[in-house]
Amino acid sequence: WTKTRHWIAETDNYSPIPWVMKTLQNALARYEEWSIFQPFKQYVRQRGLEFCFEYMVAEDLQTNFIDIGPVNKVLNMISHFHATGGDLKHEKIVNHMMRAQDYLWIAEDGMKMQGYNGSQCWDTSFCIQALYEAQLLDEFPELTKKAWSYLERTQILSTKVSQGSPAYKYEANEYRLKYYRHISEGGWPFSTSAHGWPISDCTSEGLKATLCLLKTKTIQEALKDANDETSEEEDYDDVGVNDAGSILPISNERMYKAVNVLLTYQNEDGGWATYENNRGWGWYEQLNPSEVFGDIMIDYSYVECSMAVLTALVDFAELYPDHRREDIQHSIDKGRAFLKSIQRSDGSWYGSWA
């Protein structure tokens, strides 16, 4: 194993491991073997494992045991299985197993695991915008009201139900700093509200779709009817529409929180990354342990995410011109400068998300 540690097929060597990382890996191999390091190693490892498991518990609660993706899902579930002594009836194991189905699907060649728990909010947001551009939303009022209600209940940590879940306490600064989490409340996810992770472009597309719906006659009338009634949230059906055809509103404050998520996502270079701000430097790539993935050690600014946020901020400013006008304009100016700075000589931009 020692002699073959750095072997890899040339066809798989997309991102060769830097010599710095190879040197550190060799040093760590010696660290594991030499007895002189054992007392220190055992102490440090125990502390590290305790923090890792604590982080897993926090992620489970923040994502309703879905976790950010299938790798974390399996790792967290197995770790809980070990921590509970293999008790399949333990509450956390049961919760994990119930959510495993979110990732599983049957294909013609057997069961597989998805790379995410779906793309529901992402797909719906684009569909709504397409219908709006085609001027079809008012032609299908029931569809339009259901789409509004879907986005209303999918906005992260913004409903009574989601704010009553264990995930909501992790919005406090104390927990966000401890577990390296960005602001979540007000964002929109790639998949479902239960997943709990907002993303810059998903929040942008969700916001744009909501603004499109807000401009329709169907939604304006349904919201007016809702304001004239005294219905409680419990009076609405599973898709957020009551017997009178009115819908639950999305308050201005919730719109403002969505914009706040986008503004706080902006990096120093003026662009936007995916899940979080750029929290490091390019030299971190010298510690990349993966041969098959490049530029993965920090979250970089991307043209796709940046364009999504810019268009969302412009659309928002048109309907809400008095809210944080200077902040939004400053953000747009920085974002525009970033996009121009990464444009290639032939006029195109290099895409990162296919």
Side-chain angles (χ1 to χ4, degrees), residues 13-31:
N13 202 17
Y14 170 77
S15 177
I17 294 181
W19 69 268
V20 173
M21 191 59 187
K22 287 184 177 180
T23 301
L24 290 173
Q25 287 175 340
N26 292 334
L28 283 172
R30 298 291 181 267
Y31 167 77

PDB file of all heavy atoms in Angstrom, residues 13-31:
ATOM      1  N   ASN A  13      -6.621  11.110 -13.924  1.00  0.00           N
ATOM      2  CA  ASN A  13      -5.806  12.127 -13.258  1.00  0.00           C
ATOM      3  C   ASN A  13      -6.137  13.523 -13.769  1.00  0.00           C
ATOM      4  O   ASN A  13      -5.295  14.234 -14.320  1.00  0.00           O
ATOM      5  CB  ASN A  13      -4.327  11.815 -13.487  1.00  0.00           C
ATOM      6  CG  ASN A  13      -3.446  12.467 -12.449  1.00  0.00           C
ATOM      7  OD1 ASN A  13      -3.918  12.879 -11.390  1.00  0.00           O
ATOM      8  ND2 ASN A  13      -2.164  12.560 -12.747  1.00  0.00           N
ATOM      9  N   TYR A  14      -7.395  13.917 -13.568  1.00  0.00           N
ATOM     10  CA  TYR A  14      -7.863  15.223 -14.038  1.00  0.00           C
ATOM     11  C   TYR A  14      -7.188  16.363 -13.281  1.00  0.00           C
ATOM     12  O   TYR A  14      -6.805  17.379 -13.854  1.00  0.00           O
ATOM     13  CB  TYR A  14      -9.387  15.304 -13.883  1.00  0.00           C
ATOM     14  CG  TYR A  14      -9.962  16.684 -14.114  1.00  0.00           C
ATOM     15  CD1 TYR A  14     -10.115  17.193 -15.394  1.00  0.00           C
ATOM     16  CD2 TYR A  14     -10.341  17.489 -13.037  1.00  0.00           C
ATOM     17  CE1 TYR A  14     -10.632  18.462 -15.609  1.00  0.00           C
ATOM     18  CE2 TYR A  14     -10.859  18.758 -13.238  1.00  0.00           C
ATOM     19  CZ  TYR A  14     -11.003  19.235 -14.526  1.00  0.00           C
ATOM     20  OH  TYR A  14     -11.511  20.500 -14.726  1.00  0.00           O
ATOM     21  N   SER A  15      -7.033  16.198 -11.974  1.00  0.00           N
ATOM     22  CA  SER A  15      -6.430  17.232 -11.133  1.00  0.00           C
ATOM     23  C   SER A  15      -5.312  16.598 -10.312  1.00  0.00           C
ATOM     24  O   SER A  15      -5.534  16.158  -9.180  1.00  0.00           O
ATOM     25  CB  SER A  15      -7.484  17.853 -10.208  1.00  0.00           C
ATOM     26  OG  SER A  15      -6.908  18.807  -9.337  1.00  0.00           O
ATOM     27  N   PRO A  16      -4.113  16.517 -10.871  1.00  0.00           N
ATOM     28  CA  PRO A  16      -3.000  15.849 -10.174  1.00  0.00           C
ATOM     29  C   PRO A  16      -2.795  16.404  -8.763  1.00  0.00           C
ATOM     30  O   PRO A  16      -2.838  17.623  -8.550  1.00  0.00           O
ATOM     31  CB  PRO A  16      -1.794  16.160 -11.072  1.00  0.00           C
ATOM     32  CG  PRO A  16      -2.397  16.399 -12.430  1.00  0.00           C
ATOM     33  CD  PRO A  16      -3.706  17.065 -12.177  1.00  0.00           C
ATOM     34  N   ILE A  17      -2.601  15.516  -7.828  1.00  0.00           N
ATOM     35  CA  ILE A  17      -2.394  15.944  -6.443  1.00  0.00           C
ATOM     36  C   ILE A  17      -1.080  16.712  -6.347  1.00  0.00           C
ATOM     37  O   ILE A  17      -0.027  16.216  -6.767  1.00  0.00           O
ATOM     38  CB  ILE A  17      -2.382  14.736  -5.497  1.00  0.00           C
ATOM     39  CG1 ILE A  17      -3.768  14.082  -5.470  1.00  0.00           C
ATOM     40  CG2 ILE A  17      -1.972  15.153  -4.092  1.00  0.00           C
ATOM     41  CD1 ILE A  17      -3.874  12.892  -4.556  1.00  0.00           C
ATOM     42  N   PRO A  18      -1.102  17.936  -5.801  1.00  0.00           N
ATOM     43  CA  PRO A  18       0.128  18.748  -5.693  1.00  0.00           C
ATOM     44  C   PRO A  18       1.170  18.074  -4.812  1.00  0.00           C
ATOM     45  O   PRO A  18       0.846  17.277  -3.922  1.00  0.00           O
ATOM     46  CB  PRO A  18      -0.376  20.051  -5.059  1.00  0.00           C
ATOM     47  CG  PRO A  18      -1.848  20.086  -5.350  1.00  0.00           C
ATOM     48  CD  PRO A  18      -2.295  18.663  -5.329  1.00  0.00           C
ATOM     49  N   TRP A  19       2.435  18.414  -5.043  1.00  0.00           N
ATOM     50  CA  TRP A  19       3.509  17.801  -4.271  1.00  0.00           C
ATOM     51  C   TRP A  19       3.384  18.126  -2.786  1.00  0.00           C
ATOM     52  O   TRP A  19       3.790  17.319  -1.930  1.00  0.00           O
ATOM     53  CB  TRP A  19       4.873  18.252  -4.803  1.00  0.00           C
ATOM     54  CG  TRP A  19       5.186  19.703  -4.564  1.00  0.00           C
ATOM     55  CD1 TRP A  19       4.946  20.748  -5.377  1.00  0.00           C
ATOM     56  CD2 TRP A  19       5.802  20.247  -3.379  1.00  0.00           C
ATOM     57  NE1 TRP A  19       5.359  21.931  -4.808  1.00  0.00           N
ATOM     58  CE2 TRP A  19       5.893  21.650  -3.576  1.00  0.00           C
ATOM     59  CE3 TRP A  19       6.285  19.709  -2.188  1.00  0.00           C
ATOM     60  CZ2 TRP A  19       6.428  22.504  -2.626  1.00  0.00           C
ATOM     61  CZ3 TRP A  19       6.827  20.570  -1.234  1.00  0.00           C
ATOM     62  CH2 TRP A  19       6.894  21.946  -1.467  1.00  0.00           C
ATOM     63  N   VAL A  20       2.795  19.285  -2.478  1.00  0.00           N
ATOM     64  CA  VAL A  20       2.611  19.651  -1.064  1.00  0.00           C
ATOM     65  C   VAL A  20       1.724  18.622  -0.378  1.00  0.00           C
ATOM     66  O   VAL A  20       2.023  18.138   0.724  1.00  0.00           O
ATOM     67  CB  VAL A  20       1.987  21.056  -0.949  1.00  0.00           C
ATOM     68  CG1 VAL A  20       1.645  21.370   0.505  1.00  0.00           C
ATOM     69  CG2 VAL A  20       2.931  22.111  -1.504  1.00  0.00           C
ATOM     70  N   MET A  21       0.615  18.279  -1.045  1.00  0.00           N
ATOM     71  CA  MET A  21      -0.319  17.326  -0.454  1.00  0.00           C
ATOM     72  C   MET A  21       0.281  15.932  -0.398  1.00  0.00           C
ATOM     73  O   MET A  21       0.098  15.207   0.597  1.00  0.00           O
ATOM     74  CB  MET A  21      -1.621  17.313  -1.251  1.00  0.00           C
ATOM     75  CG  MET A  21      -2.755  16.550  -0.565  1.00  0.00           C
ATOM     76  SD  MET A  21      -3.124  17.262   1.059  1.00  0.00           S
ATOM     77  CE  MET A  21      -4.299  16.083   1.703  1.00  0.00           C
ATOM     78  N   LYS A  22       1.029  15.545  -1.414  1.00  0.00           N
ATOM     79  CA  LYS A  22       1.686  14.233  -1.391  1.00  0.00           C
ATOM     80  C   LYS A  22       2.670  14.140  -0.234  1.00  0.00           C
ATOM     81  O   LYS A  22       2.745  13.115   0.461  1.00  0.00           O
ATOM     82  CB  LYS A  22       2.402  13.984  -2.712  1.00  0.00           C
ATOM     83  CG  LYS A  22       1.473  13.688  -3.883  1.00  0.00           C
ATOM     84  CD  LYS A  22       2.272  13.357  -5.128  1.00  0.00           C
ATOM     85  CE  LYS A  22       1.358  12.982  -6.279  1.00  0.00           C
ATOM     86  NZ  LYS A  22       2.114  12.645  -7.509  1.00  0.00           N
ATOM     87  N   THR A  23       3.428  15.226  -0.018  1.00  0.00           N
ATOM     88  CA  THR A  23       4.396  15.252   1.078  1.00  0.00           C
ATOM     89  C   THR A  23       3.700  15.120   2.425  1.00  0.00           C
ATOM     90  O   THR A  23       4.131  14.365   3.306  1.00  0.00           O
ATOM     91  CB  THR A  23       5.212  16.553   1.034  1.00  0.00           C
ATOM     92  OG1 THR A  23       5.885  16.653  -0.223  1.00  0.00           O
ATOM     93  CG2 THR A  23       6.224  16.600   2.166  1.00  0.00           C
ATOM     94  N   LEU A  24       2.583  15.843   2.584  1.00  0.00           N
ATOM     95  CA  LEU A  24       1.819  15.777   3.832  1.00  0.00           C
ATOM     96  C   LEU A  24       1.215  14.391   4.041  1.00  0.00           C
ATOM     97  O   LEU A  24       1.187  13.884   5.174  1.00  0.00           O
ATOM     98  CB  LEU A  24       0.724  16.843   3.830  1.00  0.00           C
ATOM     99  CG  LEU A  24       1.204  18.288   3.952  1.00  0.00           C
ATOM    100  CD1 LEU A  24       0.040  19.257   3.773  1.00  0.00           C
ATOM    101  CD2 LEU A  24       1.864  18.517   5.310  1.00  0.00           C
ATOM    102  N   GLN A  25       0.743  13.780   2.962  1.00  0.00           N
ATOM    103  CA  GLN A  25       0.184  12.432   3.089  1.00  0.00           C
ATOM    104  C   GLN A  25       1.253  11.430   3.522  1.00  0.00           C
ATOM    105  O   GLN A  25       0.998  10.551   4.355  1.00  0.00           O
ATOM    106  CB  GLN A  25      -0.446  12.010   1.757  1.00  0.00           C
ATOM    107  CG  GLN A  25      -1.753  12.734   1.455  1.00  0.00           C
ATOM    108  CD  GLN A  25      -2.295  12.402   0.082  1.00  0.00           C
ATOM    109  OE1 GLN A  25      -1.568  11.938  -0.791  1.00  0.00           O
ATOM    110  NE2 GLN A  25      -3.579  12.664  -0.132  1.00  0.00           N
ATOM    111  N   ASN A  26       2.439  11.557   2.963  1.00  0.00           N
ATOM    112  CA  ASN A  26       3.549  10.682   3.368  1.00  0.00           C
ATOM    113  C   ASN A  26       3.922  10.895   4.835  1.00  0.00           C
ATOM    114  O   ASN A  26       4.196   9.948   5.573  1.00  0.00           O
ATOM    115  CB  ASN A  26       4.765  10.918   2.478  1.00  0.00           C
ATOM    116  CG  ASN A  26       4.538  10.449   1.046  1.00  0.00           C
ATOM    117  OD1 ASN A  26       3.726   9.566   0.801  1.00  0.00           O
ATOM    118  ND2 ASN A  26       5.258  11.035   0.101  1.00  0.00           N
ATOM    119  N   ALA A  27       3.902  12.168   5.247  1.00  0.00           N
ATOM    120  CA  ALA A  27       4.230  12.485   6.640  1.00  0.00           C
ATOM    121  C   ALA A  27       3.168  11.928   7.582  1.00  0.00           C
ATOM    122  O   ALA A  27       3.477  11.408   8.662  1.00  0.00           O
ATOM    123  CB  ALA A  27       4.362  13.997   6.812  1.00  0.00           C
ATOM    124  N   LEU A  28       1.907  12.023   7.178  1.00  0.00           N
ATOM    125  CA  LEU A  28       0.823  11.502   8.009  1.00  0.00           C
ATOM    126  C   LEU A  28       0.894   9.986   8.138  1.00  0.00           C
ATOM    127  O   LEU A  28       0.527   9.416   9.173  1.00  0.00           O
ATOM    128  CB  LEU A  28      -0.536  11.927   7.424  1.00  0.00           C
ATOM    129  CG  LEU A  28      -0.947  13.378   7.676  1.00  0.00           C
ATOM    130  CD1 LEU A  28      -2.207  13.725   6.892  1.00  0.00           C
ATOM    131  CD2 LEU A  28      -1.180  13.622   9.167  1.00  0.00           C
ATOM    132  N   ALA A  29       1.368   9.316   7.079  1.00  0.00           N
ATOM    133  CA  ALA A  29       1.525   7.865   7.145  1.00  0.00           C
ATOM    134  C   ALA A  29       2.543   7.498   8.230  1.00  0.00           C
ATOM    135  O   ALA A  29       2.344   6.531   8.989  1.00  0.00           O
ATOM    136  CB  ALA A  29       1.966   7.327   5.787  1.00  0.00           C
ATOM    137  N   ARG A  30       3.624   8.249   8.294  1.00  0.00           N
ATOM    138  CA  ARG A  30       4.629   8.008   9.345  1.00  0.00           C
ATOM    139  C   ARG A  30       4.054   8.353  10.725  1.00  0.00           C
ATOM    140  O   ARG A  30       4.300   7.662  11.713  1.00  0.00           O
ATOM    141  CB  ARG A  30       5.875   8.855   9.069  1.00  0.00           C
ATOM    142  CG  ARG A  30       6.557   8.517   7.758  1.00  0.00           C
ATOM    143  CD  ARG A  30       7.203   7.138   7.813  1.00  0.00           C
ATOM    144  NE  ARG A  30       7.874   6.795   6.573  1.00  0.00           N
ATOM    145  CZ  ARG A  30       7.312   6.128   5.578  1.00  0.00           C
ATOM    146  NH1 ARG A  30       6.035   5.728   5.694  1.00  0.00           N
ATOM    147  NH2 ARG A  30       7.986   5.850   4.479  1.00  0.00           N
ATOM    148  N   TYR A  31       3.321   9.418  10.791  1.00  0.00           N
ATOM    149  CA  TYR A  31       2.684   9.848  12.041  1.00  0.00           C
ATOM    150  C   TYR A  31       1.792   8.743  12.592  1.00  0.00           C
ATOM    151  O   TYR A  31       1.727   8.513  13.805  1.00  0.00           O
ATOM    152  CB  TYR A  31       1.890  11.120  11.765  1.00  0.00           C
ATOM    153  CG  TYR A  31       0.929  11.561  12.837  1.00  0.00           C
ATOM    154  CD1 TYR A  31       1.383  12.193  13.989  1.00  0.00           C
ATOM    155  CD2 TYR A  31      -0.438  11.365  12.694  1.00  0.00           C
ATOM    156  CE1 TYR A  31       0.497  12.620  14.972  1.00  0.00           C
ATOM    157  CE2 TYR A  31      -1.335  11.780  13.658  1.00  0.00           C
ATOM    158  CZ  TYR A  31      -0.871  12.402  14.793  1.00  0.00           C
ATOM    159  OH  TYR A  31      -1.738  12.811  15.758  1.00  0.00           O
TER     160      TYR A  31
END
